[in-house]
Amino acid sequence: MILSSILAFAACSAPQVKPLDRNPLQSPDGTLELRADVLDGVPMYSLKHGQSDVILPSRLGYDLVGDIDLKDGFKLDDVSYSSFDETWTPVWGEEDHIRNRYNEMLLKLSREDGVRMNIRFRLYNDGLGFRYEFPMENKLTYFKVADELTEFALAGDHTAWWISGDYDTQEYNYYKSRLSEIRGINGADRPYNASQSYIGPTAVQTALQMKTDEGLYINLHEARVLDYSTTSLLLDDKKMVFRTALTPDAQGIKARLQAPCVSPWRTVQVCEKATDVLASRLILNLNDPCVLEDVSWIHPVKYMGVWWEMITGKTHWSYTSDFPSVKLGETDYSKAKPHGRHGANNENVRRYIDFAAANGFDALLIEGWNEGWEDWFGCQKEFVFDFITPYPDFDLPALNEYAHSKGMRLIMHHESSSSTVNYERWMEQAYTLMNQYGYDAVKSGYVGDIIPFGEHHYSQPLITHYHRAVVEAAKHHIMVNAHEAVRPTGLCRTWPNMIGNESAMGNEFRMDINPGHTCILPFTRLQGGPMDFTPGIFEQDMSITAPGETGKMRHTIGNQLGLYVTFYSPLQMAADLPENYARFMDAFQFIKDVAVDWDKSLYLEAEPGEYIVTARHPKLSTLNAGRLSGTSGAYDFVYAGGRPHDVWYVGGVCGENAHETTFKLDFLKPGVSYEATLYADAPDADYETNPQAYTITHSTVTSADVLTVRMARSGGFGLSLREK
Amino acid sequence: MILSSILAFAACSAPQVKPLDRNPLQSPDGTLELRADVLDGVPMYSLKHGQSDVILPSRLGYDLVGDIDLKDGFKLDDVSYSSFDETWTPVWGEEDHIRNRYNEMLLKLSREDGVRMNIRFRLYNDGLGFRYEFPMENKLTYFKVADELTEFALAGDHTAWWISGDYDTQEYNYYKSRLSEIRGINGADRPYNASQSYIGPTAVQTALQMKTDEGLYINLHEARVLDYSTTSLLLDDKKMVFRTALTPDAQGIKARLQAPCVSPWRTVQVCEKATDVLASRLILNLNDPCVLEDVSWIHPVKYMGVWWEMITGKTHWSYTSDFPSVKLGETDYSKAKPHGRHGANNENVRRYIDFAAANGFDALLIEGWNEGWEDWFGCQKEFVFDFITPYPDFDLPALNEYAHSKGMRLIMHHESSSSTVNYERWMEQAYTLMNQYGYDAVKSGYVGDIIPFGEHHYSQPLITHYHRAVVEAAKHHIMVNAHEAVRPTGLCRTWPNMIGNESAMGNEFRMDINPGHTCILPFTRLQGGPMDFTPGIFEQDMSITAPGETGKMRHTIGNQLGLYVTFYSPLQMAADLPENYARFMDAFQFIKDVAVDWDKSLYLEAEPGEYIVTARHPKLSTLNAGRLSGTSGAYDFVYAGGRPHDVWYVGGVCGENAHETTFKLDFLKPGVSYEATLYADAPDADYETNPQAYTITHSTVTSADVLTVRMARSGGFGLSLREK
């Protein structure tokens, strides 16, 4: 049935259905084979894994605004091949060396009307990247994309883990279904988000993780999205063909291009094992090398925040109830009556600083520190914040000085309310203020509909904005963690001050997060770069955290601990309240001890949505890099007794079903004894009935040992292994 | 017929047609009477001049986006009256004191749903201003305007001088017609402009000058447009009712309001004589007083420019033909081959400095000094200029030093190419560069379609941008002259560093300008603020100015001289090339001698489109304020022989028909002899057949004399009167 559909589709929209038989390109290990050609004027490509079709012959090209399109009429002028093999060192990451090895094929196409378009393919052992390139000498100089016509013709009705296509948010739960079932599930009546734009019943977002009936893992994504819009994927579910669905700008243009230029890389990751997906560096490798000469100011960060108490409703971002509307520069806060529930007040911030410093954290985020939170939400208010004026009860210089005196930094918060026009106006002053007081990291936010009016979170002008925010921050030696911005596509390789992003449903969604969510994100969202998921919520019962609130989150404490190892991020939060941690200090010890930057990572066991078990070895050189003075918890853990110990951390998370994982410790140094501390779900733990039940066990292990750990439903574990 | 139409209209769209009989408000001199009321829930107003209807009962209100509108259901809670009489001193202007005297009536309206809306009326002797005000205590806090429903029901089929309604340009010739004839003339096939948006066959722009059959001059405009879009006027030409037609933003919203807030003033100027229209300060008076504490850095400017030679095609803004497209920061101009016709080169700029300094000018504008002009036009290119990087052949520091050494400043040029997103990104650096090298004035430009995409030149986000450019410039002590920006609405009172605007068809349109155009602009465009019309084109024949070009402009040299007095602007250009002036140095003497800032202005004779004759007395304190050192031409003229002389300048312009003007010199000091130098069209001068024929006559006159001057078709004259 599938084949006949493909045939029918090919007959109408592409010139031929027979396999492409020219211009083969093999992956370095020979497992993958790409073919590409121009048939009847149309550029086409296909991809095989061994004898299995991954991508059936699929068309390439563009529909442009105006008289010219880039659909057909091409001839193939030249095909050239090359190989590349390089090992590079990331500033931070899951490992200290990354091998970038591929075989490349460049197709040079031209048309009688003077149009020239090249297509560059890079074939890795773990997948394909290809992009369009428009040389300077070209009939087209400035041109507008009505649609990118890149197709991915799949060879079956694969299982997919997908979220609904949307031009403005990715903060959705995933569905697992056959491709053919997407249409029946994917409706416009999705959970509310402050800004969302439904695309259609068969539109899904990248990265899209799929699995064939034969067990092959196929992942569609993109890399290096710059000067271009971000794509969703639109499925022809009769033919099982995905097509790129770029995000339109305010005038409906999908991309505005100026030759010479290149498109983002379209990627097809192909792995035989789920753990290989997690180990893949395809997206990073397709990005440009780091452009920053001095990266000494970039460091990993483990932080706490005056944040969860606002998320839960215990306190507020705002300061007063006096103002039905605020006009910054006119509204006089000094005369306002505080409503008494402002979270970011001096006393409360000092309390957090005391707790975080005492537990070896690098930094403290404080949201709601600046004027404007009384009416920031949902008004599409252009001048919504100035990013430089603190509330009367937030003594910015004094609090920074207090934090610094304890060896910690404060993390700045810039909520743009999606008024990027305004944020750009204030950015230089805002970054300068940060420099003045020693902030070196900012969490930025893009909640709500975008200003410029009519733009989307993922349209080209916004891609340019997010990038600009990172570039300008780099000039100020500031690290950026952007929330509600576009999903990352590996740009952190080039700009390693881009230390975090949200761009998916994180812990802040509390009761709405499905079990198994955290077993999907590493296959999808995290392929493009680290996520500030804000793990570490120990108190699942909202009525305890924020009296008067209701609802319970759906994970165990073991699950939250497992996230610190499962989710790679150079920026990791301990998101819960100090008073909640105080009730579980023995479990909190794992969060204190765990590192956030690694020289080696091993993916021990994984299946999307079901479970992930990961082992990581800390990078010693950055263990204490986030601290101004004193030591971090991880540093103390590694340097216990004043000498370095070999240390590994293992973490596991699992989904709706409990899972028992068994793994060898053969990654440990042979013949050396390690003290193992396991923070596991208790035997009776369960995310619904008993989420806070955990056991902490100490044992001595060697590389010859094999461990078995049971994870409860939506559970997990953390394990530290320290050389004795 | 008119009356029956009004009746028919009123029956369907307004609750009543009978005259409003409550809440009268008289102008201070009793000539005008306003009435306003709420009838059947609808706010209404009417205006009379003596016994004549100026505005028949007309409705007020709004259509909003969403469930609430502001059309009806109102009750009148309160009517209060007040009077105001103040004389204020402008930083620059047509006179040194302006009387702001009005009677005011404030209507407070409310509705059962909690909506509150006030309407404030200010009645002057020369017209009416009214606006909507939304208090803080209001059901509406954030609301979006779908349409402002303000109507102006006229009492007849008046004669009007109008340009086509457009959201993006005002650079059109005027038509003179009956209101009922507009539809037949006003088509979408208008002359090309780089950005234009046709509104409809009965849409016209403000300021709209009309004249009744009884000879009353009625002018509809607006004042203090801030945080709001600019309006056109949409005519119901069956009923002779104009309605506001606000400019939509990229999402079709006409205005986004946040209470407390006010609308712009809607103005109805009513004058018995055409000269009174020119003398009216209604628009300025309705604006807020100056907000700048220190205005010592603001001064009038008489300048020349490396500009006309590019406008005419003699030279180019661009530097090279090497690049089909430019990417700033990547494109290397240092290796480019110059095409040899770049106007802004060091040698040429020095030539202009020499000529301008020798003739007492304050400043020199240079366009095309910065990288990016190879592909700046028509591409909607976001990063089009950086405003800080000069071309290789423009030595910015050296040229500034050279100009300063001769007592002159250079004027900076910032062509945004309407990419305001980009301009705002660079603005601070661009202004800082200006400060560094001593530029104190910038000509900015907004050619082409706006970025943010989908916005219009006159939509609210752009109004905010233009204002921001002026506010930020003020912080840097920079004066702004914005071209292609929105037509001014008197904001220069509040921000007197806003020394100029284009916002109408200026001399740069060369052969396309109709005779009589300059006799209309003072009634329309100039009501809102000064215009950088760039007068002084002596060489009408393009083939002489720019070999290879063709076409002849349609005015005499006398006309161009008359403009320096007719058009008030604190920023006046002598726009022609030095080599063209060199051929007419005796006529050029008037441009050298004339002042640009005044303590007294008299409007001697005027009729829209036909002729304008104006006399002005220079403000001595600013005569030399634009010069860094040395003296200006006007200073030398006034201080001839080392002592101050009483001096007047008179200028005249006329339209398609020749006109003989006769005026008394009774404004001169009685009993004092003045040397009169008249630069007049020669008897055989004619804009088509003999445009360069002029006569210069010297005579001695006193206040008892009466002068008669003949102006040729599209001609004019300049006259200086200096105390002997």
Side-chain angles (χ1 to χ4, degrees), chain B residues 395-419:
Chain B
D395 187 338
L396 189 147
L399 290 171
N400 271 280
E401 192 178 325
Y402 187 68
H404 293 185
S405 76
K406 301 209 163 192
M408 276 174 53
R409 284 193 181 85
L410 300 188
I411 296 179
M412 178 51 82
H413 183 234
H414 292 165
E415 174 53 56
S416 73
S417 190
S418 289
S419 176

PDB file of all heavy atoms in Angstrom, chain B residues 395-419:
ATOM      1  N   ASP B 395      37.087  60.492   3.691  1.00  0.00           N
ATOM      2  CA  ASP B 395      37.889  60.559   4.922  1.00  0.00           C
ATOM      3  C   ASP B 395      37.124  61.387   5.942  1.00  0.00           C
ATOM      4  O   ASP B 395      37.278  62.605   6.027  1.00  0.00           O
ATOM      5  CB  ASP B 395      39.249  61.176   4.601  1.00  0.00           C
ATOM      6  CG  ASP B 395      40.197  61.109   5.788  1.00  0.00           C
ATOM      7  OD1 ASP B 395      39.721  60.979   6.943  1.00  0.00           O
ATOM      8  OD2 ASP B 395      41.412  61.203   5.562  1.00  0.00           O
ATOM      9  N   LEU B 396      36.317  60.704   6.703  1.00  0.00           N
ATOM     10  CA  LEU B 396      35.378  61.381   7.599  1.00  0.00           C
ATOM     11  C   LEU B 396      36.073  62.321   8.593  1.00  0.00           C
ATOM     12  O   LEU B 396      35.698  63.496   8.698  1.00  0.00           O
ATOM     13  CB  LEU B 396      34.518  60.333   8.304  1.00  0.00           C
ATOM     14  CG  LEU B 396      33.338  60.808   9.131  1.00  0.00           C
ATOM     15  CD1 LEU B 396      32.199  59.789   9.054  1.00  0.00           C
ATOM     16  CD2 LEU B 396      33.724  61.051  10.572  1.00  0.00           C
ATOM     17  N   PRO B 397      37.092  61.850   9.303  1.00  0.00           N
ATOM     18  CA  PRO B 397      37.739  62.784  10.243  1.00  0.00           C
ATOM     19  C   PRO B 397      38.353  63.983   9.532  1.00  0.00           C
ATOM     20  O   PRO B 397      38.193  65.128   9.971  1.00  0.00           O
ATOM     21  CB  PRO B 397      38.816  61.923  10.915  1.00  0.00           C
ATOM     22  CG  PRO B 397      38.377  60.506  10.700  1.00  0.00           C
ATOM     23  CD  PRO B 397      37.645  60.502   9.391  1.00  0.00           C
ATOM     24  N   ALA B 398      39.030  63.726   8.431  1.00  0.00           N
ATOM     25  CA  ALA B 398      39.730  64.821   7.749  1.00  0.00           C
ATOM     26  C   ALA B 398      38.751  65.828   7.164  1.00  0.00           C
ATOM     27  O   ALA B 398      38.982  67.046   7.216  1.00  0.00           O
ATOM     28  CB  ALA B 398      40.631  64.259   6.650  1.00  0.00           C
ATOM     29  N   LEU B 399      37.656  65.341   6.625  1.00  0.00           N
ATOM     30  CA  LEU B 399      36.694  66.257   6.010  1.00  0.00           C
ATOM     31  C   LEU B 399      36.000  67.100   7.071  1.00  0.00           C
ATOM     32  O   LEU B 399      35.737  68.287   6.859  1.00  0.00           O
ATOM     33  CB  LEU B 399      35.686  65.484   5.166  1.00  0.00           C
ATOM     34  CG  LEU B 399      36.278  64.872   3.896  1.00  0.00           C
ATOM     35  CD1 LEU B 399      35.279  63.936   3.210  1.00  0.00           C
ATOM     36  CD2 LEU B 399      36.737  65.973   2.918  1.00  0.00           C
ATOM     37  N   ASN B 400      35.698  66.478   8.201  1.00  0.00           N
ATOM     38  CA  ASN B 400      35.117  67.264   9.286  1.00  0.00           C
ATOM     39  C   ASN B 400      36.092  68.339   9.749  1.00  0.00           C
ATOM     40  O   ASN B 400      35.718  69.494   9.959  1.00  0.00           O
ATOM     41  CB  ASN B 400      34.721  66.356  10.453  1.00  0.00           C
ATOM     42  CG  ASN B 400      33.311  65.841  10.302  1.00  0.00           C
ATOM     43  OD1 ASN B 400      32.353  66.545  10.598  1.00  0.00           O
ATOM     44  ND2 ASN B 400      33.179  64.622   9.795  1.00  0.00           N
ATOM     45  N   GLU B 401      37.349  67.942   9.871  1.00  0.00           N
ATOM     46  CA  GLU B 401      38.348  68.913  10.326  1.00  0.00           C
ATOM     47  C   GLU B 401      38.477  70.047   9.318  1.00  0.00           C
ATOM     48  O   GLU B 401      38.564  71.224   9.691  1.00  0.00           O
ATOM     49  CB  GLU B 401      39.679  68.186  10.509  1.00  0.00           C
ATOM     50  CG  GLU B 401      40.706  69.017  11.249  1.00  0.00           C
ATOM     51  CD  GLU B 401      41.997  68.233  11.462  1.00  0.00           C
ATOM     52  OE1 GLU B 401      41.926  67.006  11.677  1.00  0.00           O
ATOM     53  OE2 GLU B 401      43.066  68.874  11.396  1.00  0.00           O
ATOM     54  N   TYR B 402      38.432  69.692   8.064  1.00  0.00           N
ATOM     55  CA  TYR B 402      38.546  70.710   7.021  1.00  0.00           C
ATOM     56  C   TYR B 402      37.351  71.669   7.079  1.00  0.00           C
ATOM     57  O   TYR B 402      37.506  72.897   7.034  1.00  0.00           O
ATOM     58  CB  TYR B 402      38.629  70.034   5.648  1.00  0.00           C
ATOM     59  CG  TYR B 402      38.907  70.987   4.518  1.00  0.00           C
ATOM     60  CD1 TYR B 402      40.141  71.622   4.405  1.00  0.00           C
ATOM     61  CD2 TYR B 402      37.933  71.252   3.553  1.00  0.00           C
ATOM     62  CE1 TYR B 402      40.395  72.500   3.363  1.00  0.00           C
ATOM     63  CE2 TYR B 402      38.179  72.130   2.507  1.00  0.00           C
ATOM     64  CZ  TYR B 402      39.417  72.752   2.420  1.00  0.00           C
ATOM     65  OH  TYR B 402      39.670  73.630   1.397  1.00  0.00           O
ATOM     66  N   ALA B 403      36.167  71.097   7.201  1.00  0.00           N
ATOM     67  CA  ALA B 403      34.974  71.950   7.282  1.00  0.00           C
ATOM     68  C   ALA B 403      35.037  72.842   8.514  1.00  0.00           C
ATOM     69  O   ALA B 403      34.779  74.054   8.436  1.00  0.00           O
ATOM     70  CB  ALA B 403      33.720  71.079   7.308  1.00  0.00           C
ATOM     71  N   HIS B 404      35.407  72.251   9.637  1.00  0.00           N
ATOM     72  CA  HIS B 404      35.458  73.034  10.875  1.00  0.00           C
ATOM     73  C   HIS B 404      36.475  74.158  10.766  1.00  0.00           C
ATOM     74  O   HIS B 404      36.278  75.249  11.297  1.00  0.00           O
ATOM     75  CB  HIS B 404      35.797  72.124  12.051  1.00  0.00           C
ATOM     76  CG  HIS B 404      34.709  71.120  12.368  1.00  0.00           C
ATOM     77  ND1 HIS B 404      34.759  70.273  13.442  1.00  0.00           N
ATOM     78  CD2 HIS B 404      33.533  70.834  11.747  1.00  0.00           C
ATOM     79  CE1 HIS B 404      33.668  69.504  13.455  1.00  0.00           C
ATOM     80  NE2 HIS B 404      32.928  69.827  12.439  1.00  0.00           N
ATOM     81  N   SER B 405      37.556  73.877  10.066  1.00  0.00           N
ATOM     82  CA  SER B 405      38.587  74.910   9.925  1.00  0.00           C
ATOM     83  C   SER B 405      38.056  76.115   9.150  1.00  0.00           C
ATOM     84  O   SER B 405      38.599  77.205   9.230  1.00  0.00           O
ATOM     85  CB  SER B 405      39.819  74.338   9.210  1.00  0.00           C
ATOM     86  OG  SER B 405      39.565  74.211   7.808  1.00  0.00           O
ATOM     87  N   LYS B 406      36.980  75.889   8.416  1.00  0.00           N
ATOM     88  CA  LYS B 406      36.373  77.001   7.668  1.00  0.00           C
ATOM     89  C   LYS B 406      35.096  77.492   8.334  1.00  0.00           C
ATOM     90  O   LYS B 406      34.283  78.181   7.715  1.00  0.00           O
ATOM     91  CB  LYS B 406      36.099  76.545   6.243  1.00  0.00           C
ATOM     92  CG  LYS B 406      37.376  76.092   5.534  1.00  0.00           C
ATOM     93  CD  LYS B 406      37.301  76.296   4.055  1.00  0.00           C
ATOM     94  CE  LYS B 406      38.704  76.227   3.461  1.00  0.00           C
ATOM     95  NZ  LYS B 406      38.736  76.695   2.075  1.00  0.00           N
ATOM     96  N   GLY B 407      34.881  77.064   9.579  1.00  0.00           N
ATOM     97  CA  GLY B 407      33.739  77.587  10.334  1.00  0.00           C
ATOM     98  C   GLY B 407      32.442  76.853  10.089  1.00  0.00           C
ATOM     99  O   GLY B 407      31.387  77.240  10.584  1.00  0.00           O
ATOM    100  N   MET B 408      32.496  75.780   9.328  1.00  0.00           N
ATOM    101  CA  MET B 408      31.288  75.048   8.962  1.00  0.00           C
ATOM    102  C   MET B 408      31.259  73.664   9.589  1.00  0.00           C
ATOM    103  O   MET B 408      32.283  73.096   9.915  1.00  0.00           O
ATOM    104  CB  MET B 408      31.255  74.842   7.436  1.00  0.00           C
ATOM    105  CG  MET B 408      30.703  75.988   6.649  1.00  0.00           C
ATOM    106  SD  MET B 408      30.938  75.611   4.895  1.00  0.00           S
ATOM    107  CE  MET B 408      30.191  73.995   4.792  1.00  0.00           C
ATOM    108  N   ARG B 409      30.058  73.124   9.685  1.00  0.00           N
ATOM    109  CA  ARG B 409      29.903  71.729  10.086  1.00  0.00           C
ATOM    110  C   ARG B 409      29.475  70.889   8.883  1.00  0.00           C
ATOM    111  O   ARG B 409      28.908  71.398   7.924  1.00  0.00           O
ATOM    112  CB  ARG B 409      28.826  71.589  11.158  1.00  0.00           C
ATOM    113  CG  ARG B 409      29.239  72.033  12.537  1.00  0.00           C
ATOM    114  CD  ARG B 409      28.212  71.549  13.532  1.00  0.00           C
ATOM    115  NE  ARG B 409      28.528  71.967  14.901  1.00  0.00           N
ATOM    116  CZ  ARG B 409      28.204  73.140  15.418  1.00  0.00           C
ATOM    117  NH1 ARG B 409      27.571  74.031  14.678  1.00  0.00           N
ATOM    118  NH2 ARG B 409      28.518  73.432  16.662  1.00  0.00           N
ATOM    119  N   LEU B 410      29.735  69.616   8.992  1.00  0.00           N
ATOM    120  CA  LEU B 410      29.135  68.678   8.046  1.00  0.00           C
ATOM    121  C   LEU B 410      27.822  68.167   8.637  1.00  0.00           C
ATOM    122  O   LEU B 410      27.680  68.049   9.858  1.00  0.00           O
ATOM    123  CB  LEU B 410      30.067  67.500   7.766  1.00  0.00           C
ATOM    124  CG  LEU B 410      31.431  67.865   7.171  1.00  0.00           C
ATOM    125  CD1 LEU B 410      32.182  66.587   6.761  1.00  0.00           C
ATOM    126  CD2 LEU B 410      31.295  68.798   5.965  1.00  0.00           C
ATOM    127  N   ILE B 411      26.866  67.896   7.760  1.00  0.00           N
ATOM    128  CA  ILE B 411      25.595  67.293   8.171  1.00  0.00           C
ATOM    129  C   ILE B 411      25.643  65.808   7.826  1.00  0.00           C
ATOM    130  O   ILE B 411      25.966  65.425   6.706  1.00  0.00           O
ATOM    131  CB  ILE B 411      24.397  67.972   7.478  1.00  0.00           C
ATOM    132  CG1 ILE B 411      24.302  69.443   7.913  1.00  0.00           C
ATOM    133  CG2 ILE B 411      23.098  67.237   7.794  1.00  0.00           C
ATOM    134  CD1 ILE B 411      23.153  70.198   7.268  1.00  0.00           C
ATOM    135  N   MET B 412      25.329  64.992   8.824  1.00  0.00           N
ATOM    136  CA  MET B 412      25.353  63.544   8.643  1.00  0.00           C
ATOM    137  C   MET B 412      24.139  63.095   7.831  1.00  0.00           C
ATOM    138  O   MET B 412      23.107  63.770   7.832  1.00  0.00           O
ATOM    139  CB  MET B 412      25.367  62.874  10.018  1.00  0.00           C
ATOM    140  CG  MET B 412      25.350  61.371  10.019  1.00  0.00           C
ATOM    141  SD  MET B 412      26.596  60.616   8.962  1.00  0.00           S
ATOM    142  CE  MET B 412      28.029  60.694  10.043  1.00  0.00           C
ATOM    143  N   HIS B 413      24.296  61.983   7.151  1.00  0.00           N
ATOM    144  CA  HIS B 413      23.171  61.405   6.425  1.00  0.00           C
ATOM    145  C   HIS B 413      22.965  59.959   6.842  1.00  0.00           C
ATOM    146  O   HIS B 413      23.898  59.167   6.806  1.00  0.00           O
ATOM    147  CB  HIS B 413      23.399  61.478   4.916  1.00  0.00           C
ATOM    148  CG  HIS B 413      22.241  60.967   4.122  1.00  0.00           C
ATOM    149  ND1 HIS B 413      22.360  59.984   3.172  1.00  0.00           N
ATOM    150  CD2 HIS B 413      20.925  61.291   4.173  1.00  0.00           C
ATOM    151  CE1 HIS B 413      21.166  59.724   2.657  1.00  0.00           C
ATOM    152  NE2 HIS B 413      20.273  60.500   3.246  1.00  0.00           N
ATOM    153  N   HIS B 414      21.750  59.645   7.257  1.00  0.00           N
ATOM    154  CA  HIS B 414      21.357  58.274   7.624  1.00  0.00           C
ATOM    155  C   HIS B 414      20.182  57.843   6.767  1.00  0.00           C
ATOM    156  O   HIS B 414      19.041  58.156   7.088  1.00  0.00           O
ATOM    157  CB  HIS B 414      20.902  58.205   9.088  1.00  0.00           C
ATOM    158  CG  HIS B 414      21.976  58.437  10.090  1.00  0.00           C
ATOM    159  ND1 HIS B 414      21.708  58.701  11.406  1.00  0.00           N
ATOM    160  CD2 HIS B 414      23.334  58.426   9.976  1.00  0.00           C
ATOM    161  CE1 HIS B 414      22.845  58.846  12.065  1.00  0.00           C
ATOM    162  NE2 HIS B 414      23.850  58.696  11.217  1.00  0.00           N
ATOM    163  N   GLU B 415      20.462  57.156   5.693  1.00  0.00           N
ATOM    164  CA  GLU B 415      19.360  56.584   4.907  1.00  0.00           C
ATOM    165  C   GLU B 415      19.046  55.216   5.512  1.00  0.00           C
ATOM    166  O   GLU B 415      19.868  54.296   5.460  1.00  0.00           O
ATOM    167  CB  GLU B 415      19.742  56.444   3.436  1.00  0.00           C
ATOM    168  CG  GLU B 415      18.704  55.717   2.596  1.00  0.00           C
ATOM    169  CD  GLU B 415      17.298  56.309   2.721  1.00  0.00           C
ATOM    170  OE1 GLU B 415      17.142  57.513   2.465  1.00  0.00           O
ATOM    171  OE2 GLU B 415      16.370  55.577   3.117  1.00  0.00           O
ATOM    172  N   SER B 416      17.865  55.087   6.077  1.00  0.00           N
ATOM    173  CA  SER B 416      17.498  53.814   6.706  1.00  0.00           C
ATOM    174  C   SER B 416      17.021  52.802   5.683  1.00  0.00           C
ATOM    175  O   SER B 416      16.910  51.619   5.985  1.00  0.00           O
ATOM    176  CB  SER B 416      16.406  54.046   7.743  1.00  0.00           C
ATOM    177  OG  SER B 416      15.182  54.313   7.092  1.00  0.00           O
ATOM    178  N   SER B 417      16.706  53.266   4.475  1.00  0.00           N
ATOM    179  CA  SER B 417      16.075  52.409   3.469  1.00  0.00           C
ATOM    180  C   SER B 417      14.804  51.786   4.058  1.00  0.00           C
ATOM    181  O   SER B 417      14.385  50.701   3.666  1.00  0.00           O
ATOM    182  CB  SER B 417      17.041  51.329   2.966  1.00  0.00           C
ATOM    183  OG  SER B 417      16.502  50.662   1.836  1.00  0.00           O
ATOM    184  N   SER B 418      14.229  52.489   5.028  1.00  0.00           N
ATOM    185  CA  SER B 418      12.991  52.075   5.714  1.00  0.00           C
ATOM    186  C   SER B 418      13.152  50.805   6.544  1.00  0.00           C
ATOM    187  O   SER B 418      12.173  50.254   7.020  1.00  0.00           O
ATOM    188  CB  SER B 418      11.821  51.924   4.743  1.00  0.00           C
ATOM    189  OG  SER B 418      11.423  53.199   4.289  1.00  0.00           O
ATOM    190  N   SER B 419      14.390  50.344   6.705  1.00  0.00           N
ATOM    191  CA  SER B 419      14.630  49.227   7.620  1.00  0.00           C
ATOM    192  C   SER B 419      14.841  49.830   9.004  1.00  0.00           C
ATOM    193  O   SER B 419      15.970  49.994   9.474  1.00  0.00           O
ATOM    194  CB  SER B 419      15.852  48.426   7.174  1.00  0.00           C
ATOM    195  OG  SER B 419      16.136  47.399   8.104  1.00  0.00           O
TER     196      SER B 419
END
